[in-house]
Amino acid sequence: MTEVLFYHLQNMSVENVLPSLLEKSLERGWRAVVQSTSQERTDALDTHLWTYRDDSFLPHATWRAGDAEDQPVVLAIEEGNPNRAHVRFLIDNASLPADAHTYERMVVLFNGDDAEALAAARGAWTDCKSRGFEVTYWQADERGRWQRRQ
């Protein structure tokens, strides 16, 4: 069964949160797809993942790369699973893909300070529940550690 994790971002950006979540996915031996809603956003994330830390980088490619199927992380703007990913990250209010049930995990990152993002996350939560997915809600505590909330 697909597990869907909702990460409520408050006073933090996708750029701050996404790299560590991708690193954890790779440590588990999972491949990942990160779906945003625009090519400009994907291009900015592409640059960020190469430079987010001085001592590390995340191996990845965009969906346009000729070898996307061989990459552990693929940045995309549309549905599809170009690298046979186990986990799909949805950012910038990207919609749940029709094939969501084929992933072990879906991760929805949403901006808690944006009314449109909150509405989209609530809609996705309802959609996931109606599909029978296991859903959990995560929020950072005062030290920035993710805590599962009820």
Side-chain angles (χ1 to χ4, degrees), residues 45-59:
L45 277 174
D46 182 28
T47 299
H48 179 69
L49 293 179
W50 290 117
T51 61
Y52 75 98
R53 222 170 58 203
D54 289 340
D55 64 340
S56 181
F57 70 93
L58 279 162

Side-chain angles (χ1 to χ4, degrees), residues 1 13 18 21 29 34 36-37 39 43 51 71 87 105 110 132:
M1 174 191 301
S13 68
L18 185 61
L21 293 175
V34 178
S36 71
T37 56
Q39 184 170 331
D43 291 343
T51 61
Q71 299 299 320
V87 60
R105 179 175 287 174
F110 66 97

